């Protein structure tokens, strides 16, 4: 209960709409006729609520449920309103972005990151102060035929620019099939970042396997995730 209280407090502070609780999961969104603001402001509020929730959980000194996986997606169109039957209605949001957000949330642990957001969320908030973006890569998410370009939001105040620059350089070499240079880059990221970097470990493992096996003609630089 304390964990959910902390998370919902942070979401409400950013004027997010708490949609529902699903076990230990909180689903919330911002948009529709009940809240004012631009798409950029809505997206920024969601990202800030997510980052603040993580920080608040860590500082609460809880024995259990002291961390959270976060997935988010933005869209130009969605159904927002009261849905259900004549006897019971629920104010909620429906659309493909909801499904993508759920798939991203389930991929967080496998990618070794704190959160995963879609490219549109990143584009809407690129000029917002307080956080910066790291490209996680192209993900094949469970239940979707198309790939999703995913990004991780990072608190700007805690950022070591050196490791982030090194990471993006290593990722670019990975896309160019320069796996030995990419491997060296990800090893440097793990060394530079305080506490290491699990995402770089994921790519490091992929580089080592690709150096041995090589690539097929139609190889794509993707991370295949699963539930």
């Amino acid at each position: 209960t304390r964990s959910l209280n902390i998370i919902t407090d942070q979401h409400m502070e950013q004027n997010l709409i708490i949609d529902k609780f699903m076990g230990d999961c909180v689903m919330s969104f911002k948009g529709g006729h009940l809240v004012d603001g631009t798409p950029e402001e809505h997206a920024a509020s969601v990202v800030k609520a997510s980052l603040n929730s993580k920080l608040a959980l860590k500082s609460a000194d809880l024995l259990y449920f002291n961390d959270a996986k976060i997935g988010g997606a933005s869209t130009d169109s969605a159904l927002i309103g009261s849905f259900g039957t004549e006897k019971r209605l629920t104010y909620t949001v429906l659309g493909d972005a909801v499904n993508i957000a759920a798939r991203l949330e389930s991929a967080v642990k496998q990618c070794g990151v704190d959160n995963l957001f879609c490219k549109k969320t990143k584009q809407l908030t690129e000029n917002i102060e307080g956080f910066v973006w790291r490209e996680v890569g192209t993900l094949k998410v469970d239940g979707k035929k198309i790939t999703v370009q995913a990004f991780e939001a990072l608190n700007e105040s805690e950022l070591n620019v050196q490791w982030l620059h090194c990471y993006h350089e290593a990722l670019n070499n990975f896309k160019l099939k320069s796996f030995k240079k990419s491997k060296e880059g990800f090893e440097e990221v793990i060394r530079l970042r305080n506490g290491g970097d699990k995402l770089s470990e994921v790519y490091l493992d992929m580089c080592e396997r690709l150096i041995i096996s090589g690539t097929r003609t139609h190889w794509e630089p993707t991370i295949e995730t699963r539930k």
Side-chain angles (χ1 to χ4, degrees):
T1 302
R2 283 192 64 195
S3 298
L4 291 178
N5 282 338
I6 290 170
I7 292 171
T8 54
D9 284 347
Q10 295 298 326
H11 286 205
M12 292 174 70
E13 189 172 311
Q14 295 296 329
N15 201 27
L16 270 61
I17 296 171
I18 306 297
D19 187 303
K20 61 176 68 73
F21 297 99
M22 299 169 285
D24 60 354
C25 175
V26 181
M27 176 180 169
S28 61
F29 66 95
K30 192 169 185 183
H33 300 298
L34 296 185
V35 289
D36 296 325
T38 65
E40 290 79 6
E41 290 169 339
H42 293 337
S45 294
V46 171
V47 176
K48 288 177 181 178
S50 301
L51 293 175
N52 292 344
S53 294
K54 295 275 291 188
L55 291 174
L57 283 172
K58 288 180 180 179
S59 63
D61 196 28
L62 302 177
L63 186 60
Y64 302 106
F65 300 104
N66 52 14
D67 201 0
K69 297 185 300 177
I70 299 162
S74 301
T75 180
D76 290 325
S77 61
L79 293 173
I80 302 175
S82 296
F83 299 91
T85 68
E86 293 179 353
K87 294 182 179 179
R88 180 168 180 177
L89 294 173
T90 299
Y91 188 81
T92 188
V93 57
L94 302 175
D96 190 54
V98 179
N99 296 325
I100 291 176
R103 298 299 192 279
L104 290 175
E105 184 272 335
S106 66
V108 164
K109 185 176 182 181
Q110 186 178 337
C111 292
V113 294
D114 284 340
N115 56 72
L116 287 170
F117 289 93
C118 71
K119 183 178 181 179
K120 187 169 184 62
T121 305
K122 184 248 187 185
Q123 290 174 330
L124 287 169
T125 60
E126 282 181 316
N127 297 320
I128 304 296
E129 295 182 355
F131 56 87
V132 295
W133 291 100
R134 140 158 94 161
E135 182 181 354
V136 172
T138 303
L139 307 185
K140 289 183 179 179
V141 296
D142 190 66
K144 292 287 181 183
K145 292 183 179 180
I146 62 171
T147 56
V148 179
Q149 194 170 0
F151 297 82
E152 180 187 21
L154 302 165
N155 279 300
E156 193 171 30
S157 60
E158 301 178 355
L159 185 64
N160 179 331
V161 177
Q162 187 178 3
W163 77 257
L164 185 61
H165 175 77
C166 185
Y167 167 84
H168 281 128
E169 188 174 318
L171 181 61
N172 187 55
N173 282 324
F174 181 78
K175 294 177 182 178
L176 295 173
K177 301 184 182 181
S178 300
F179 300 122
K180 289 185 178 179
K181 289 180 65 176
S182 179
K183 177 177 178 290
E184 293 171 358
F186 287 122
E187 288 173 337
E188 182 67 4
V189 175
I190 294 168
R191 187 189 70 80
L192 287 172
R193 189 177 188 187
N194 186 28
D197 185 56
K198 292 182 180 179
L199 178 58
S200 291
E201 291 176 10
V202 171
Y203 275 113
L204 189 60
D205 179 66
M206 293 172 67
C207 286
E208 290 172 345
R209 287 188 281 111
L210 287 165
I211 289 170
I212 296 171
S213 64
T215 61
R216 298 177 182 176
T217 304
H218 299 294
W219 175 83
E220 295 180 358
T222 59
I223 299 175
E224 189 166 348
T225 66
R226 58 192 178 277
K227 286 187 177 181

